[in-house]
Amino acid sequence: MSLTKPTATLTEAMTVPKGERERRSPRHPSRAASIAGRMPFWVFTGALAIVFLYPLVWTAISSVAPLAGTGQTDGWGFGNYVTLANYQAGVWVYLGNSLFVSLLTVILTLVVSMLGGYAFARFKFPGKNLLFLGTLAILMVPYATLLIPLYVLLASVGLANSLVGVALVLTMFQLPFSTFMMRISFESIPRELDEAAMVDGCSSWTALWRVLVPAVKPGLITVGLFAFLAAWNDFMAPLILISDTNRMTLPLAVSNLRGQVQGVVDYGATEAGVVVLAVPCILLFLVLQRHYVRGFMSGAFKG
């Protein structure tokens, strides 16, 4: 009789699923205790989300709310957006200018930083580290101090008052960070992939495009996202380099719109412009956020 009960208990333990045994175990924490342990983290992150989202939500609401002295004085509506759309050349012209500058900056940044990061990560040549440090040193130079010399340089090559010139300047300021990101992305890829590709007959160029570029896709997306956001929202470079009102980017147009009537700030149109500027950035980040995080982590566990 004393042998039957332990045998039955052992048989029951073997037939009960592992998850059920862990749930029945007194050492396994209850669901309530688990939730209570995570509550401080949820409260903290929720408070941070509210702090960061409140200005955006307030701006979006204010852009359609009735406000004296704006394009929307009676009831809720899109009068401020109509004011923005009809400002000088029109919002679509300024959106097109911003999109052209941003896309050209992204393309140039991706191409140059990818080739530079590949060279720094995979090849040995005299002065490699010194050249890399010189590239990073651009980050220590104040942004605004270089715009006047760059304007003179662009004027000497016929790119003054040009959207292409603005894109070239913005690309230059993106290259230090982008090259650094691409170097650590390539260094996180085992060299055996290069060697296997070359054994199969690939050249360095073919191995880069067919093997390494797909492997460093998160890094490329991170670099491209940073370049787009910086170019889309930049105000200083277009302010110095662009003098034609039809070639202004959207941030510069919104800034000029603020005080178009005797220096009185049109807050409604300004808030509408901020919303128009923010929406593409938010959507792009939401779509690419997973690759963005993976790009930052690409070199974290190298070695």
Side-chain angles (χ1 to χ4, degrees), residues 258-278:
R258 292 179 70 246
Q260 61 172 328
V261 182
Q262 298 179 352
V264 178
V265 177
D266 189 343
Y267 290 104
T270 302
E271 289 158 349
V274 171
V275 172
V276 173
L277 279 168

Side-chain angles (χ1 to χ4, degrees), residues 235-247:
F235 171 78
M236 187 66 69
L239 176 65
I240 300 299
L241 302 176
I242 298 295
S243 57
D244 188 352
T245 56
N246 292 331
R247 297 181 180 178

Side-chain angles (χ1 to χ4, degrees), residues 228-259:
F228 180 87
L229 295 179
W232 181 264
N233 296 303
D234 190 82
F235 171 78
M236 187 66 69
L239 176 65
I240 300 299
L241 302 176
I242 298 295
S243 57
D244 188 352
T245 56
N246 292 331
R247 297 181 180 178
M248 292 190 303
T249 57
L250 188 57
L252 187 56
V254 172
S255 176
N256 291 342
L257 175 62
R258 292 179 70 246

